[in-house]
Amino acid sequence: MFENGYFVISLDFELRWGSYSWDTNHAYDANVLGARTAIPDILQTFKAHQIHATWATVGALFAKSKSDILGANKQYFVDTPIAHISEFLKECEELGENELIDPSHYALSLIEQIRATEHQEIGLHTYSHFYCLDNKEAAKSFQKDTSAALAMMKAQNIVPKSFVFPRNQFNPALLEVLKRSGMNIVRGNENHFLYREREERQENKLHRALRLVDSYVNISGYHTFSPDSCLKQDVVNIPSSRFLRPYMKKARYLERLKLQRIKKAMRHASEHGEVFHLWFHPHNFGINIKENIAMLQEICEYYEYLKHEFGFESITMQELAQKVERKEDTL
C-alpha cells in the first residue's frame, strides 16, 4: 500500500480544435477565446499552491503557422477516408496564418507559459481531436494522427508520455499504437455505467442528466482508487474521478454542494492512501473566469489542508506512473 494519497489534475487543452466538429456556427467562441485569459490565472493558482498538473494538449496547437499544419496534413493524411479527418482538413483550410491573427487555433505562447511553470506536464490529446470510438476501423488513421502530433511536438522539443482520449472515448484497441509511440500512461474513465466510454450516438439525455445530478449529489461514489490498480499490461491507466463543472450562474446556489462533493472525495483519498483525479478543460473557465478561478483556488486550498493533515500529495499523471512502476519493479 502507498503511504499517502495522491491528487491528480489533468486538463484537456483544445481551444477551437475541441469544438469545430459540432460548433459550426462558432457559438462557443467566447469560451474558446476566454480560455486564453483563464490559462494564466489557472497557472498562477497552481503555482501559488504547488499544484502538479498534466495538460493533455491537442497537437495542432503546437503549430507556428498555417503552413506548418497544412504541411503536416499533406504528409500524414493523404488518402485518409475518415469522416472526422475530413472535417479536420476542412477546418484547416479556414485557418488564419498564425497565433496573432487566429488565437483560437494556435497556442504556442500559452504552451510556453505552461512549460515555464513549475510542476506542469504536457501530454497529448491527439493531433486533430480525433474521436477514438466514433471512427470505425480507427487504428490506421489514429496512427497517422499520433505521428502528426508527435512531429509537431518534437519541433518544440516536447516528448509526451501521457495521453488523454478526446471526449473520454477510451479505446483499448489503440493502446498498442500509443505504447509504440512512447506513451504508456493514459486517463481512463470512472468505473460506473454513467461514465463508461461510449460513441457519441450512444449518449443520451438521461446519461447527461444523471451525470449533472452526480456533480452535486453522490449517486455514483467517490471514484477514488489505489495507485496499484493503475498498472495493467504495461499501461498505466489513471482513471478520472470527477469532472470539474464550471460555474453556472443559474445553478450558483448549488456551488457549495459541488465543492463539498469534490472535497469529500479528496479527503477520502487522502485518508485511505488512494488517488483522486480531477479534470476539466481550460475553455470551461472561458466565461465567468473570476468565479471559476475562485472555485479552483478553494479546491487548491483544501488540497493544502489535506497535505498538512494527511500527507496528501499533488502529482502529475507521469509522476504517479513513475511511482507505480518503481513499486512494481521492487516486488
Side-chain angles (χ1 to χ4, degrees):
M1 181 177 177
F2 286 78
E3 292 183 1
N4 54 275
Y6 297 101
F7 182 36
V8 177
I9 292 182
S10 59
L11 302 93
D12 299 10
F13 183 20
E14 308 165 352
L15 295 185
R16 169 68 182 169
W17 298 114
S19 57
Y20 72 88
S21 65
W22 53 267
D23 183 29
T24 56
N25 295 323
H26 292 262
Y28 200 69
D29 281 0
N31 284 75
V32 169
L33 294 174
R36 300 189 65 93
T37 300
I39 286 171
D41 290 343
I42 293 171
L43 289 171
Q44 184 58 42
T45 301
F46 287 168
K47 182 178 179 180
H49 300 281
Q50 292 292 291
I51 297 294
H52 299 219
T54 297
W55 297 71
T57 306
V58 167
L61 290 175
F62 290 85
K64 290 183 178 180
S65 66
K66 182 175 182 177
S67 61
D68 286 347
I69 292 180
L70 296 183
N73 293 350
K74 184 176 180 180
Q75 180 177 355
Y76 294 102
F77 296 133
V78 173
D79 300 324
T80 306
I82 299 292
H84 176 71
I85 296 298
S86 298
E87 292 176 0
F88 172 76
L89 297 177
K90 183 178 179 181
E91 180 76 9
C92 291
E93 293 299 329
E94 306 297 323
L95 295 177
E97 290 302 319
N98 53 45
E99 187 175 2
L100 182 63
I101 296 170
D102 186 355
S104 65
H105 287 101
Y106 303 89
L108 264 184
S109 68
L110 294 171
I111 291 168
E112 287 305 315
Q113 290 183 50
I114 296 168
R115 295 180 76 180
T117 304
E118 194 175 12
H119 306 310
Q120 306 304 297
E121 174 196 6
I122 295 180
L124 180 59
H125 198 43
T126 76
Y127 174 68
S128 64
H129 206 252
F130 187 88
Y131 298 152
C132 297
L133 288 177
D134 287 349
N135 291 309
K136 301 299 183 183
E137 307 296 331
K140 184 176 180 180
S141 297
F142 181 71
Q143 177 65 75
K144 292 181 178 180
D145 183 278
T146 302
S147 297
L150 294 178
M152 199 72 75
M153 297 174 82
K154 183 179 180 180
Q156 303 302 324
N157 297 312
I158 297 175
V159 180
K161 298 298 181 182
S162 300
F163 181 87
V164 170
F165 289 88
R167 287 196 178 178
N168 294 313
Q169 290 191 3
F170 185 94
N171 188 340
L174 303 180
L175 294 178
E176 284 300 321
V177 174
L178 293 174
K179 287 194 289 184
R180 290 196 304 268
S181 301
M183 291 172 284
N184 72 324
I185 308 164
V186 297
R187 188 181 77 202
N189 299 338
E190 294 95 317
N191 185 23
H192 191 274
F193 83 93
L194 285 179
Y195 300 96
R196 188 173 301 136
E197 52 270 15
R198 298 179 177 90
E199 299 173 37
E200 182 61 24
R201 65 183 178 82
Q202 295 173 324
E203 279 284 6
N204 59 50
K205 291 181 179 179
L206 179 60
H207 292 144
R208 295 186 177 95
L210 288 174
R211 287 198 296 266
L212 178 62
V213 172
D214 193 39
S215 296
Y216 303 100
V217 180
N218 187 350
I219 62 175
S220 71
Y222 290 134
H223 300 297
T224 61
F225 51 90
S226 166
D228 292 322
S229 68
C230 297
L231 184 58
K232 296 178 182 177
Q233 298 179 333
D234 299 323
V235 173
V236 182
N237 180 352
I238 305 172
S240 55
S241 301
R242 180 122 318 268
F243 170 54
L244 179 57
R245 289 190 179 274
Y247 173 88
M248 295 187 296
K249 190 173 182 179
K250 291 181 179 179
R252 60 189 180 276
Y253 299 113
L254 298 176
E255 286 295 298
R256 284 290 105 199
L257 289 177
K258 180 178 70 179
L259 283 168
Q260 287 303 314
R261 174 94 164 93
I262 291 169
K263 288 179 179 180
K264 287 180 180 179
M266 291 171 66
R267 186 179 185 92
H268 180 85
S270 63
E271 289 179 338
H272 293 84
E274 295 186 334
V275 181
F276 178 75
H277 187 172
L278 188 70
W279 73 277
F280 62 99
H281 309 84
H283 63 237
N284 296 139
F285 282 27
I287 58 173
N288 300 314
I289 295 175
K290 179 180 177 181
E291 291 83 0
N292 283 312
I293 294 298
M295 173 181 64
L296 183 63
Q297 287 173 339
E298 183 170 342
I299 291 169
C300 292
E301 288 168 2
Y302 191 65
Y303 154 72
E304 287 194 304
Y305 165 76
L306 295 173
K307 177 182 178 181
H308 293 302
E309 188 77 10
F310 301 104
F312 205 34
E313 183 177 350
S314 177
I315 197 167
T316 66
M317 289 175 62
Q318 184 177 0
E319 289 168 341
L320 180 60
Q322 289 169 345
K323 287 181 179 291
V324 170
E325 289 169 334
R326 280 199 298 267
K327 185 176 180 184
E328 179 70 14
D329 289 341
T330 62
L331 296 178

mmCIF file of all heavy atoms in Angstrom, residues 88 98 113 176 182:
data_model
loop_
_atom_site.group_PDB
_atom_site.id
_atom_site.type_symbol
_atom_site.label_atom_id
_atom_site.label_comp_id
_atom_site.label_asym_id
_atom_site.label_seq_id
_atom_site.Cartn_x
_atom_site.Cartn_y
_atom_site.Cartn_z
ATOM 1 N N PHE A 88 -11.642 17.802 -40.099
ATOM 2 C CA PHE A 88 -10.453 18.488 -39.621
ATOM 3 C C PHE A 88 -9.742 19.214 -40.766
ATOM 4 O O PHE A 88 -9.361 20.386 -40.636
ATOM 5 C CB PHE A 88 -9.503 17.474 -38.971
ATOM 6 C CG PHE A 88 -8.162 18.032 -38.607
ATOM 7 C CD1 PHE A 88 -8.008 18.850 -37.501
ATOM 8 C CD2 PHE A 88 -7.043 17.730 -39.380
ATOM 9 C CE1 PHE A 88 -6.764 19.370 -37.161
ATOM 10 C CE2 PHE A 88 -5.793 18.239 -39.051
ATOM 11 C CZ PHE A 88 -5.660 19.058 -37.934
ATOM 12 N N ASN A 98 -1.405 32.658 -38.272
ATOM 13 C CA ASN A 98 -0.604 32.381 -37.072
ATOM 14 C C ASN A 98 -1.413 32.720 -35.820
ATOM 15 O O ASN A 98 -2.582 33.123 -35.911
ATOM 16 C CB ASN A 98 0.715 33.166 -37.105
ATOM 17 C CG ASN A 98 0.491 34.650 -37.340
ATOM 18 O OD1 ASN A 98 -0.392 35.256 -36.731
ATOM 19 N ND2 ASN A 98 1.280 35.240 -38.233
ATOM 20 N N GLN A 113 4.029 29.286 -21.625
ATOM 21 C CA GLN A 113 3.701 29.650 -20.238
ATOM 22 C C GLN A 113 3.540 28.409 -19.365
ATOM 23 O O GLN A 113 3.980 28.397 -18.203
ATOM 24 C CB GLN A 113 2.420 30.485 -20.203
ATOM 25 C CG GLN A 113 2.568 31.880 -20.772
ATOM 26 C CD GLN A 113 1.282 32.684 -20.654
ATOM 27 O OE1 GLN A 113 0.675 32.762 -19.582
ATOM 28 N NE2 GLN A 113 0.851 33.284 -21.749
ATOM 29 N N GLU A 176 -1.896 -0.130 -28.113
ATOM 30 C CA GLU A 176 -0.635 -0.581 -28.711
ATOM 31 C C GLU A 176 -0.004 0.522 -29.548
ATOM 32 O O GLU A 176 1.219 0.671 -29.573
ATOM 33 C CB GLU A 176 -0.860 -1.835 -29.554
ATOM 34 C CG GLU A 176 -1.046 -3.102 -28.747
ATOM 35 C CD GLU A 176 0.155 -3.419 -27.864
ATOM 36 O OE1 GLU A 176 1.308 -3.205 -28.315
ATOM 37 O OE2 GLU A 176 -0.062 -3.873 -26.725
ATOM 38 N N GLY A 182 5.619 5.645 -27.524
ATOM 39 C CA GLY A 182 6.275 6.108 -26.309
ATOM 40 C C GLY A 182 5.346 6.583 -25.211
ATOM 41 O O GLY A 182 5.797 7.179 -24.228
#
